[in-house]
């Protein structure tokens, strides 16, 4: 797994986290227990710190970057495939849908779902337990039963999948 120090700050990865061999972590990055960072993801903390809390998963080809301060991805969060997460805070067990963007100083509430392809603009606050839709994301509706299932179960699915990849992914 490519880990790079930057100006004396190196990624800190818990031994029970899983980092795909093609993911890249640079600088002041913290990855907690049972978190996972998937293939092609880039987490670059050269201006501030990025914290990936316990059980969170950052899926394939997503990018996380931070300005001054801390970008925090909460416990059991899912950041879907090809997302851009930039200098924001994502609350516990939130789900950031595939191809979506969350920008500077935005705050995503606990157990919220940012719909696939949505753009959360700078300093927007998405309340807890809603679906944020649109580009820009201005429509917030309560979680549907289907959305609630994704929010409640996706992190555990990816924690188990990361264990399988740790044991079963081998170069050929």
């Amino acid at each position: 797994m490519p880990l790079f120090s930057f100006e004396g700050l190196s990624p800190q990865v818990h031994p029970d986290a899983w980092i795909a061999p093609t993911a890249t972590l640079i600088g002041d990055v913290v990855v907690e227990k049972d978190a996972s960072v998937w293939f092609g993801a880039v987490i670059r903390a050269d201006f501030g710190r990025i914290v990936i809390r316990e059980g969170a998963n950052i899926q394939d080809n997503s990018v996380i970057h931070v300005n001054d301060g801390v970008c925090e991805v909460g416990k059991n969060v899912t950041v879907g495939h090809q997302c851009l997460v930039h200098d924001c805070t994502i609350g516990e067990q939130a789900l950031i849908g595939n191809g979506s963007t969350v920008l500077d100083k935005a705050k995503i509430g606990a157990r919220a779902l940012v719909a696939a392809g949505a753009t959360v603009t700078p300093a927007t606050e998405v309340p807890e337990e809603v679906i944020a839709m649109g580009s820009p994301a201005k429509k917030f509706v309560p979680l549907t039963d289907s959305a609630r299932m994704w929010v409640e179960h996706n992190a555990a699915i990816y924690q188990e999948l990361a264990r399988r990849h740790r044991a079963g992914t081998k170069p050929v």
Side-chain angles (χ1 to χ4, degrees):
M1 83 184 104
L3 302 178
F4 298 95
S5 69
F6 178 75
E7 295 180 346
L9 297 172
S10 297
Q12 302 168 37
V13 177
H14 190 282
D16 291 332
W18 183 74
I19 310 297
T22 60
T24 304
L25 282 62
I26 304 153
D28 193 6
V29 176
V30 176
V31 181
E32 294 183 350
K33 179 180 180 179
D34 294 329
S36 57
V37 180
W38 292 81
F39 299 92
V42 176
I43 303 176
R44 181 166 56 90
D46 45 12
F47 289 120
R49 173 175 269 204
I50 297 171
V51 180
I52 310 300
R53 294 283 179 212
E54 182 176 340
N57 62 93
I58 312 304
Q59 294 179 10
D60 309 71
N61 296 317
S62 286
V63 175
I64 301 177
H65 188 243
V66 63
N67 290 329
D68 295 340
V70 178
C71 179
E72 183 172 347
V73 176
K75 183 177 178 183
N76 292 320
V77 161
T78 293
V79 174
H81 308 286
Q82 293 186 324
C83 292
L84 171 62
V85 173
H86 196 271
D87 196 28
C88 58
T89 302
I90 301 175
E92 185 171 326
Q93 207 169 359
L95 194 155
I96 309 303
N98 295 341
S100 59
T101 300
V102 182
L103 294 172
D104 302 54
K105 307 306 179 210
K107 293 182 181 178
I108 308 301
R111 296 171 305 286
L113 188 152
V114 175
T119 299
V120 178
T121 56
T124 298
E125 293 196 23
V126 174
E128 293 184 359
E129 297 191 11
V130 300
I131 303 171
M133 297 179 278
S135 187
K138 291 188 180 225
K139 183 176 182 184
F140 303 147
V141 299
L143 288 177
T144 62
D145 289 342
S146 173
R148 188 174 301 283
M149 291 295 291
W150 281 105
V151 167
E152 290 176 354
H153 298 288
N154 203 68
I157 291 166
Y158 266 82
Q159 289 163 17
E160 176 57 28
L161 187 57
R163 286 189 278 279
R164 290 174 54 206
H165 274 270
R166 180 191 308 276
T169 299
K170 307 286 183 230
V172 293

